[in-house]
């Protein structure tokens, strides 16, 4: 049995668990938004009820102290009656996109390897496919996903060194959401990127331009490497116009296409849904198509017969991916459009402040509570449920007794 790269990719968790159609992706985001909206409204209503109960209790106490309490002013509850205005699925996606762009800037600030930054961004996009920004704020999650990505991509930084990149962030704020993130990723930490595929294709195309190509040829089996080089030199320009080129000119063209495609992958592809919708090979081919279409189609014709149905489907898929990449606002900056985008993001961040899940605001305290099985807090910190504290004491005493029976009691000093 002969395994191909496609066969190997289909066994990966990325293909089996994180590949979707556009309809599936949209439906999942709607489900996530609906669940988060219901949870936020329920938790906010519960919190408001607790505050109202406390306010009523305080009013009664104040009335008792003052006598009849007739002149005691009632608390203003008009804000409690206001319905929570939650984010829509479309608004959540815009915020996730913003979180991802900030994560790229964070990777550059910390001088992370490109693979680590790209993996961190994909962790972020995967996490928010099943979790909402209303539940877990992107500022808290993005730092943790980037730290987790450095460990995944073998470019780990010590925690103290990573924390030093921020002003008032503590070690606990980085570590507290780590299990939540890993759980949200279903513990699938491998991300297959298109960077290596693009580099390999570049070396192959350069070999054709230099007349040293020895790979497969679906154009004409009888063509030599020199014949392929001559055919390549007759390719039209990127705009489609006929042009005569020398081997040196073609070498420069191939290098320029690689740089353009590489920048597209690093700065645009990781910020879109391309990883959910397409394979790594399709993504780098789409980036190369945007850089130089005649060159890319010529390279494809070497691998797949241009007259075959497979080639038609492949080119159609690549064009669809290229359209997705080129539609992102970072691909071709537009000052007016970018200003509107920033204003919209600012509005959504303000809206997010009023519709966050109150139970998930402080992830550090939540993490401590989960570790200790805490159920409530008092003025001095986290308090254990009485029954759980007794159970732990009994378990500890039973363990010590069994240990003493086997090893004997501890020697006295």
């Amino acid at each position: 049995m002969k395994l191909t790269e496609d066969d190997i990719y289909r066994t990966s968790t990325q293909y089996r668990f994180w590949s979707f159609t556009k309809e599936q992706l949209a439906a999942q985001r709607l489900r996530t938004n609906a669940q988060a909206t219901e949870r936020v409204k329920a938790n906010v209503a519960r919190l408001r009820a607790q505050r109202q109960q406390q306010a009523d209790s305080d009013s009664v106490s104040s009335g008792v102290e003052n006598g009849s309490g007739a002149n005691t002013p009632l608390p203003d509850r008009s804000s409690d009656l206001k319905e929570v205005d939650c984010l829509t699925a479309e608004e959540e996606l815009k915020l996730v996109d913003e979180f991802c762009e900030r994560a790229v800037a964070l990777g550059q600030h910390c001088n992370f390897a490109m693979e680590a930054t790209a993996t961190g961004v994909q962790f972020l996009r995967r996490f928010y496919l099943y979790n909402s920004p209303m539940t877990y704020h992107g500022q808290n999650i993005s730092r943790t996903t980037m730290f987790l990505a450095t460990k995944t991509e073998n470019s780990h930084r010590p925690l103290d060194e990573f924390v030093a990149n921020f002003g008032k962030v503590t070690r606990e704020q980085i570590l507290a959401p780590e299990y939540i993130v890993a759980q949200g990723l279903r513990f699938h930490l491998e991300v297959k990127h298109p960077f290596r595929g693009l580099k390999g294709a570049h070396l192959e195309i350069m070999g054709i331009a230099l007349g040293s190509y020895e790979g497969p040829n679906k154009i004409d089996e009888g063509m030599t490497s020199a014949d392929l080089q001559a055919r390549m030199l007759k390719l039209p320009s990127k705009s489609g116009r006929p042009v005569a080129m020398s081997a040196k000119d073609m070498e420069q063209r191939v290098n320029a296409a690689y740089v353009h495609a590489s920048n597209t992958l690093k700065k645009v592809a990781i910020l879109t849904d391309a990883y959910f919708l397409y394979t790594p090979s399709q993504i780098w081919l789409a980036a190369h198509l945007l850089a130089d279409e005649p060159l890319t189609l010529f390279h494809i014709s070497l691998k797949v017969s241009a007259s075959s149905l497979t080639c038609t489907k492949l080119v159609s898929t690549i064009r669809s991916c290229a359209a997705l990449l080129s539609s992102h606002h970072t691909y071709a900056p537009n000052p007016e459009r970018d200003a509107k985008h920033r204003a919209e993001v600012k509005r959504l961040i303000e809206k997010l402040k009023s519709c966050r899940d109150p139970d998930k605001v402080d992830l550090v305290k939540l993490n401590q509570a989960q570790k200790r099985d805490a159920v409530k807090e008092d003025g001095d910190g986290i308090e254990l449920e009485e029954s759980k504290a007794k159970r732990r004491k009994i378990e500890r005493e039973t363990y010590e007794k069994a240990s003493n029976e086997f090893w004997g009691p501890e020697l006295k000093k």
Side-chain angles (χ1 to χ4, degrees):
M1 183 179 68
K2 182 180 179 180
L3 285 176
T4 65
E5 288 291 334
D6 285 343
D7 294 327
I8 296 173
Y9 177 71
R10 286 189 178 91
T11 64
S12 68
T13 56
Q14 182 165 323
Y15 176 79
R16 292 187 292 126
F17 298 102
W18 300 100
S19 293
F20 307 88
T21 63
K22 291 181 180 180
E23 293 74 20
Q24 290 171 335
L25 207 57
Q28 178 55 49
R29 284 176 172 143
L30 284 173
R31 281 194 296 271
T32 300
N33 175 258
Q35 292 168 358
T37 298
E38 182 180 355
R39 190 181 303 114
V40 166
K41 289 184 177 181
N43 289 340
V44 169
R46 173 180 52 78
L47 189 63
R48 287 175 175 176
Q50 291 175 352
R51 289 176 177 173
Q52 180 175 341
Q53 185 178 6
Q54 183 63 38
D56 291 342
S57 176
D58 292 344
S59 297
V60 171
S61 300
S62 178
V64 171
E65 291 175 1
N66 296 333
S68 65
N71 297 324
T72 303
L74 294 174
D76 182 14
R77 296 178 186 141
S78 59
S79 60
D80 287 353
L81 300 176
K82 186 178 179 181
E83 180 69 18
V84 181
D85 184 17
C86 292
L87 298 170
T88 65
E90 183 180 358
E91 290 174 334
E92 284 188 332
L93 180 57
K94 290 180 180 179
L95 280 177
V96 171
D97 289 340
E98 177 64 19
F99 298 156
C100 291
E101 290 184 36
R102 294 185 180 185
V104 172
L106 173 61
Q108 294 172 345
H109 173 71
C110 298
N111 294 318
F112 288 161
M114 188 61 229
E115 287 76 8
T117 299
T119 296
V121 172
Q122 293 313 304
F123 282 173
L124 204 57
R125 298 192 75 81
R126 289 181 180 184
F127 179 82
Y128 281 114
L129 192 57
Y130 293 95
N131 294 276
S132 168
M134 293 186 290
T135 307
Y136 299 106
H137 197 285
Q139 187 174 10
N140 299 328
I141 300 300
S142 60
R143 294 189 294 250
T144 302
T145 57
M146 294 299 287
F147 181 64
L148 186 62
T150 60
K151 294 188 282 187
T152 304
E153 294 295 335
N154 295 321
S155 57
H156 178 54
R157 303 280 183 87
L159 180 58
D160 290 332
E161 182 180 331
F162 180 70
V163 171
N165 290 290
F166 310 99
K168 300 180 181 180
V169 177
T170 64
R171 293 165 51 93
E172 290 72 21
Q173 287 175 311
I174 302 296
L175 295 178
E178 195 167 39
Y179 182 75
I180 295 173
V181 170
Q183 195 174 36
L185 298 175
R186 304 180 187 179
F187 300 95
H188 302 153
L189 303 180
E190 181 186 27
V191 179
K192 294 184 179 296
H193 297 288
F195 307 132
R196 289 184 179 178
L198 176 64
K199 182 63 177 178
H202 170 65
L203 295 175
E204 200 168 60
I205 296 173
M206 184 61 74
I208 302 172
L210 299 176
S212 59
Y213 176 74
E214 299 293 342
N217 172 22
K218 296 293 183 180
I219 300 176
D220 185 351
E221 295 294 341
M223 295 184 72
T224 64
S225 58
D227 295 333
L228 287 174
Q229 181 190 34
R231 190 181 183 106
M232 187 179 187
L233 294 177
K234 294 179 181 179
L235 289 175
S237 65
K238 291 189 289 184
S239 60
R241 292 176 297 180
V243 60
M245 302 190 74
S246 64
K248 187 69 174 178
D249 294 335
M250 181 55 71
E251 185 179 348
Q252 294 176 351
R253 178 176 174 178
V254 171
N255 283 326
Y258 172 74
V259 171
H260 187 285
S262 181
N263 287 334
T264 301
L265 294 181
K266 295 175 182 178
K267 299 178 181 180
V268 180
I270 60 175
L271 299 174
T272 68
D273 285 333
Y275 280 66
F276 290 137
L277 301 172
Y278 302 97
T279 67
S281 297
Q282 291 168 347
I283 296 172
W284 74 252
L285 279 167
H288 205 278
L289 189 78
L290 291 171
D292 196 319
E293 183 170 327
L295 206 57
T296 307
L297 296 179
F298 175 72
H299 183 247
I300 292 175
S301 68
L302 296 176
K303 311 295 182 180
V304 185
S305 177
S307 59
S308 67
L309 180 61
T310 300
C311 184
T312 303
K313 291 176 63 177
L314 174 61
V315 172
S316 175
T317 302
I318 293 170
R319 290 190 187 281
S320 175
C321 183
L324 173 64
L325 300 182
S326 61
S327 65
H328 197 268
H329 73 94
T330 58
Y331 182 75
N334 181 303
E336 183 178 352
R337 182 189 60 188
D338 292 346
K340 291 181 179 179
H341 173 75
R342 288 192 296 270
E344 175 67 4
V345 169
K346 184 177 181 180
R347 181 187 71 82
L348 293 177
I349 290 177
E350 287 299 316
K351 182 178 180 180
L352 178 60
K353 293 178 181 179
S354 63
C355 61
R356 290 188 62 187
D357 188 340
D359 289 352
K360 307 291 185 180
V361 172
D362 193 338
L363 295 182
V364 173
K365 190 173 292 185
L366 179 65
N367 182 56
Q368 292 173 344
Q370 289 173 339
K371 285 182 177 180
R372 301 188 177 106
D373 294 331
V375 293
K376 63 178 181 177
E377 300 172 15
D378 57 15
D380 298 325
I382 299 173
E383 182 180 334
L384 280 175
E385 186 179 1
E386 185 178 359
S387 62
K388 291 183 179 179
K390 288 182 178 179
R391 188 187 70 226
R392 288 193 175 187
K393 182 179 179 181
I394 293 172
E395 289 175 351
R396 184 168 58 252
E397 291 175 349
T398 303
Y399 173 79
E400 290 175 353
K401 182 179 179 181
S403 178
N404 290 340
E405 289 177 354
F406 183 80
W407 299 104
E410 184 178 353
L411 296 176
K412 295 181 179 181
K413 295 181 179 179

